[in-house]
Amino acid sequence: MKPPFLLLAPVLALLAAGSAAAAPVVTRLTPPSERFASGRADPVVARFLPGQRFDLQATVRPDAGQRITAARFFIDGKPVAAPVALRDCASGCVKGLAAETAIATVRAVGVEASGRHEFSVEATQADGSKATATGNFEVVPFAAALGPRVKNIVILLGDGMGASQRTAARIVHGYAQGKALQPLAMDSFTATGLVKTASLNSIVTDSSPGMTSYVSGNKNNNNEEGVFPDDTVDAFDNPRVEYLSEYLHRTQGKQLGIVTTADVFDATPAGNAVHSSNRGAGTGIVDQFLDDRRLTGLTVLMGGGRKWFLPAGTPGSARTDSNDYAFSATDPHTAEIVKRWGAAAGTLDKGRDLIRDFQAAGFGYAATRADLDKADPARPLLGLFAFSNMNVALDKINGRRGTEKNGLSGGSVVEDFGLPDQPMLDEMAAKALAVLKRSPKGFVLMVEGASIDKQAHNMDTERWMLDTLEFDRAVRVVQDFAAEQGDTLVIVTADHECSGAALIGGSVVTDARLAELAAKKGVANLRNSVVGVYEKAGFPHYRLAADGYPETTNIDYRLLVGYGANADRHEDWRTKRTPQRDVQQPFAAEAPLKWYPANALERDDALGDYLVTGQVPGEQAVHTATDVPLSAYGPGALAFTGVMDNTDVFFKLAQAAMKGVVAPADTSGSRKPPKPKR
């Protein structure tokens, strides 16, 4: 009998021979595909409209000592008739990839034929060995229409606005014996469904893929907008997918409007027009808004974010070359973005005066509410009303009323920020519609109530409640417009829920008594003596002023809100005098803003001494995976019922614009919606 090591020798020899002849391997294939990831044909992850453009890409790991010399892509077995850009990872790739790893890319592919399609890559290394991989995608056909095409699409996005946030705003509007005294505007929409919000890489999305799913039909990774993930570190070279705004501008000549109460570089506004794997790359993001307007039809851009538009060195400027972009003409990997997509090449230009460049391109400019009122609706419009995020509704309203000096300098919060004349979201929406309605081919408009989310992160209940009311007033403006025009489809929804907000009941004491209990502190006083559940909650009564907002949020027997996705905090149930410091503000460290609380624990540390232990680490509440409501109004509204994926919304919107509505006839869009009672 042979010794054991001699019996193993043939096996070891075969293993050694196999190792020496190991084939190169495709480690990533784009568009994302379950067929590639697991071998399963379902679910089909990537879906596109007929002719919608997207990039093909593969990352290929060659054998040791080898390199990839060529690559080809195929769709349904036929070679893709477009140049393949091939680069290695000697520089500019994520950690862990060998320098000889190759990335092959084909830009701006489109497929007209509907149905499932197989796509594949074949990569060849220097010794002739080949690596292949296969995935699938779907082209979703347009259906036969039952009604006319819609001319305009408006997406109203309440960032972080789940069912609890909508319900809280309705309660503030008023209840009597179980009936709402007046519905929210969004409550009067024709149809409502539920939206699943997962991103490409998590059940819990952030705002980037939360928004882009609605306007690209595809999942993105968290923190990425308008792109699929790749293995490079460049934030602007990822594989792209065409946005609704780009598709409808290219095929129909529609214009684009973006309105937000956030900094305009933020995830939701950027997720309608900008392609980047880094939602924080502010300089390049705002440059792309202007420089690629011929792709998107950008005509209106309003919100905060002036700091990105001011030349570096100007007080308040945040422009920097480190988060800008410049596509090299000598690098085919990025040069093909310019050639095939028609995108701007970009340049590292931190000294750029972007406001001046917008004006040179024909845009009017508004820096205040007064400027906005005077803006000529016959011109495209840029409005930048804050250096970063705009102040929230509660603080803007207090500033306008002049009755509650809740700032730390003896004035109002908006005076502390140096921005006393900011518009409300409904005023911004009205001006955007006045500009866009002149678009002969129609428009796509996105209006975001951004700080529903931001204040829910801060667990600042009254501030997100009033921002939800502000958002609903913008909904009313758009609904009125749609009713008058008859050719406008409107949806109101959210990118995700934030904070796990729960309407747990109502206070059983007056506000004066609540202040006394806060001074006494502790669980016995601030929980056991205050929180009324079931019938003890009753109906909180908020009195609305002529401006549509509560006269005060510190009412007797107030609505009480808890959180299920919160960090540690203290609670005394009363309205916070000031908001938290916004670290994105360029002047946040200067007096008086430096005296604003930096986080919820600091804000609430002196309040009540009733600690609510959080379920998450850190200083903020977080997004949740909960489904969010979507309501629709106008022609085609009845298509938006049932439970749908966030990507489904894109195809329903495109169907209505490209071929016509598919739901049964809906006449609600031609009726004037009821006005709220005052």
Side-chain angles (χ1 to χ4, degrees):
M1 184 174 180
K2 293 182 180 180
F5 73 88
L6 291 178
L7 290 173
L8 288 173
V11 177
L12 294 173
L14 286 172
L15 289 174
S19 176
V25 177
V26 177
T27 59
R28 185 192 294 274
L29 187 64
T30 300
S33 168
E34 193 62 22
R35 169 81 179 272
F36 169 73
S38 69
R40 296 193 303 264
D42 293 297
V44 177
V45 177
R47 297 185 299 161
F48 306 100
L49 293 169
Q52 183 185 1
R53 300 192 296 175
F54 59 94
D55 291 343
L56 296 168
Q57 190 176 88
T59 301
V60 189
R61 184 184 68 224
D63 292 337
Q66 292 286 329
R67 62 186 181 87
I68 302 299
T69 57
R72 296 190 298 168
F73 286 91
F74 302 83
I75 294 179
D76 298 329
K78 298 179 181 179
V80 175
V84 178
L86 192 63
R87 58 156 293 182
D88 63 30
C89 283
S91 64
C93 288
V94 297
K95 291 181 179 179
L97 292 184
E100 60 270 19
T101 300
I103 297 176
T105 310
V106 172
R107 301 288 184 182
V109 173
V111 177
E112 293 287 345
S114 62
R116 290 195 180 193
H117 297 273
E118 180 179 280
F119 74 103
S120 58
V121 65
E122 179 189 80
T124 305
Q125 69 182 16
D127 66 357
S129 299
K130 297 184 184 298
T132 61
T134 301
N136 61 6
F137 63 85
E138 182 180 1
V139 174
V140 179
F142 291 117
L146 298 177
R149 294 189 301 181
V150 300
K151 182 179 181 181
N152 310 312
I153 291 171
V154 184
I155 301 168
L156 291 145
L157 199 291
D159 202 306
M161 185 183 70
S164 291
Q165 284 84 1
R166 285 179 64 154
T167 306
R170 187 188 312 120
I171 290 171
V172 173
H173 259 211
Y175 267 75
Q177 298 191 71
K179 296 283 188 177
L181 295 177
Q182 51 184 277
L184 300 175
M186 66 183 91
D187 288 344
S188 66
F189 275 34
T190 309
T192 295
L194 279 177
V195 177
K196 297 175 283 186
T197 62
S199 69
L200 182 62
N201 65 340
S202 178
I203 58 170
V204 182
T205 188
D206 84 306
S207 292
S208 303
M211 179 72 245
T212 59
S213 294
Y214 290 136
V215 291
S216 74
N218 281 274
K219 303 285 188 178
N220 292 171
N221 273 5
N222 284 358
N223 301 307
E224 300 188 353
E225 45 208 24
V227 296
F228 294 123
D230 74 357
D231 289 311
T232 73
V233 295
D234 188 328
F236 290 95
D237 74 345
N238 284 53
R240 294 186 172 199
V241 58
E242 192 170 34
Y243 281 123
L244 182 69
S245 62
E246 295 172 312
Y247 185 83
L248 294 181
H249 183 65
R250 178 169 61 86
T251 60
Q252 293 188 335
K254 293 193 189 302
Q255 304 301 304
L256 172 65
I258 296 173
V259 176
T260 179
T261 53
D263 188 316
V264 295
F265 99 102
D266 209 4
T268 301
N272 286 269
V274 172
H275 300 273
S276 176
S277 63
N278 178 9
R279 58 174 286 181
T283 307
I285 286 171
V286 296
D287 283 1
Q288 205 175 107
F289 275 131
L290 178 65
D291 295 342
D292 283 349
R293 68 190 182 282
R294 63 185 176 276
L295 299 180
T296 63
L298 183 72
T299 304
V300 173
L301 179 63
M302 281 194 279
R306 198 181 306 158
K307 67 182 183 180
W308 303 109
F309 292 71
L310 302 172
T314 305
S317 173
R319 287 188 66 87
T320 173
D321 288 347
S322 65
N323 58 27
D324 204 351
Y325 72 99
F327 297 143
S328 170
T330 60
D331 178 2
H333 183 69
T334 56
E336 288 295 303
I337 298 176
V338 179
K339 183 177 179 180
R340 296 276 299 172
W341 282 94
T347 185
L348 303 184
D349 52 3
K350 64 182 181 181
R352 184 180 190 181
D353 187 336
L354 192 56
I355 295 174
R356 184 187 63 190
D357 286 357
F358 264 89
Q359 291 172 316
F363 282 71
Y365 174 59
T368 63
R369 177 195 180 192
D371 291 343
L372 184 66
D373 290 342
K374 295 182 293 185
D376 182 357
R379 298 177 62 192
L381 179 61
L382 172 68
L384 301 173
F385 307 108
F387 285 93
S388 184
N389 303 309
M390 295 175 66
N391 286 117
V392 299
L394 186 149
D395 297 317
K396 287 187 293 188
I397 287 296
N398 282 341
R400 288 190 180 191
R401 290 173 178 172
T403 56
E404 188 172 347
K405 300 297 185 181
N406 57 345
L408 296 183
S409 63
S412 65
V413 168
V414 292
E415 289 170 337
D416 281 357
F417 276 73
L419 302 163
D421 191 26
Q422 299 170 67
M424 306 301 292
L425 185 59
D426 55 323
E427 296 163 349
M428 297 160 67
K431 180 63 76 169
L433 290 169
V435 174
L436 290 167
K437 74 178 182 180
R438 297 170 180 264
S439 304
K441 302 296 185 181
F443 60 82
V444 176
L445 170 63
M446 192 287 299
V447 179
E448 182 197 20
S451 285
I452 302 169
D453 173 75
K454 296 181 189 303
Q455 297 306 312
H457 275 298
N458 293 342
M459 299 163 287
D460 194 331
T461 299
E462 284 72 26
R463 282 185 168 81
W464 65 248
M465 287 198 306
L466 263 65
D467 261 56
T468 309
L469 289 177
E470 181 188 29
F471 176 71
D472 193 64
R473 290 175 67 84
V475 173
R476 174 71 63 184
V477 167
V478 173
Q479 187 181 25
D480 286 346
F481 174 88
E484 292 168 357
Q485 299 295 314
D487 57 2
T488 301
L489 173 59
V490 185
I491 64 168
V492 54
T493 187
D495 44 358
H496 52 76
E497 195 277 339
C498 183
S499 78
L503 314 185
I504 56 178
S507 166
V508 297
V509 300
T510 65
D511 185 59
R513 177 58 178 159
L514 185 58
E516 294 174 2
L517 292 170
K520 292 182 178 180
K521 303 185 177 184
V523 170
N525 290 300
L526 282 169
R527 187 190 68 187
N528 301 353
S529 299
V530 173
V531 179
V533 299
Y534 299 109
E535 67 279 359
K536 292 181 180 179
F539 297 105
H541 294 292
Y542 293 83
R543 292 174 55 88
L544 299 185
D547 56 25
Y549 297 89
E551 293 177 351
T552 179
T553 51
N554 282 326
I555 65 166
D556 297 340
Y557 317 112
R558 66 196 301 134
L559 174 65
L560 300 184
V561 176
Y563 299 95
N566 61 295
D568 292 349
R569 65 190 178 93
H570 290 88
E571 183 61 86
D572 73 344
W573 307 115
R574 306 192 74 237
T575 303
K576 314 306 182 239
R577 179 184 173 192
T578 62
Q580 287 176 211
R581 189 183 316 159
D582 185 346
V583 296
Q584 296 187 56
Q585 297 293 344
F587 303 115
E590 298 184 14
L593 297 186
K594 67 180 179 181
W595 302 114
Y596 280 59
N599 56 62
L601 266 182
E602 179 183 308
R603 178 193 70 202
D604 298 341
D605 194 38
L607 304 176
D609 195 26
Y610 166 27
L611 175 66
V612 181
T613 303
Q615 289 77 39
V616 300
E619 299 175 342
Q620 292 191 331
V622 298
H623 299 172
T624 69
T626 307
D627 293 354
V628 296
L630 181 150
S631 298
Y633 179 85
L638 295 179
F640 295 87
T641 57
V643 179
M644 67 199 91
D645 191 71
N646 49 14
T647 58
D648 294 336
V649 174
F650 168 80
F651 296 98
K652 296 174 187 289
L653 294 173
Q655 167 72 39
M658 291 294 293
K659 297 296 181 181
V661 302
V662 295
D666 166 27
T667 60
S668 66
S670 62
R671 294 201 307 265
K672 192 78 171 177
K675 290 292 185 184
K677 299 175 183 177
R678 292 283 181 251

